[in-house]
């Protein structure tokens, strides 16, 4: 996970380093349907899985929409953990 860096940069760094999976820092407001499609394609192209999506802090009470969106993005990318 490289907070503050585009997820595409994290994916390419992990691929070049020979990792099998990558952790991604997800800012939901930065994600569009086309970006999600492009990132999924980049993951397929590099052969990387997503080990986790960060950072989701869950507290008592209703889950904010932004957190639900992060979880949805993580699921779309096939993240093993959030």
């Amino acid at each position: 996970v490289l907070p503050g860096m585009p997820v595409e940069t994290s994916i390419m760094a992990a691929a070049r380093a020979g990792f099998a999976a990558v952790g991604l820092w997800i800012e939901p407001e930065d994600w569009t349907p086309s970006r999600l499609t492009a990132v999924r394609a980049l993951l397929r192209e590099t052969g990387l899985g997503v080990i986790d999506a960060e950072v989701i802090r869950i507290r008592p009470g209703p889950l904010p929409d932004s957190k639900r969106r992060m979880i949805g993005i993580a699921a779309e990318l096939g993240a093993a953990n959030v």
Side-chain angles (χ1 to χ4, degrees):
V1 176
L2 300 171
M5 298 296 293
V7 296
E8 295 85 350
T9 301
S10 296
I11 292 167
M12 293 309 297
R16 285 188 200 113
F19 288 102
V22 63
L24 299 176
W25 190 275
I26 295 176
E27 298 288 347
E29 63 275 2
D30 295 337
W31 288 77
T32 62
S34 62
R35 185 174 190 203
L36 183 58
T37 299
V39 169
R40 279 196 311 244
L42 185 57
L43 289 165
R44 275 192 308 274
E45 177 185 313
T46 59
L48 289 175
V50 178
I51 191 70
D52 64 359
E54 300 192 22
V55 62
I56 300 173
R57 293 182 181 96
I58 298 176
R59 295 185 169 89
L63 192 61
D65 289 341
S66 63
K67 300 298 182 190
R68 290 180 190 278
R69 177 134 167 75
M70 291 171 73
I71 291 168
I73 292 165
E76 288 279 341
L77 297 175
N81 303 288
V82 292

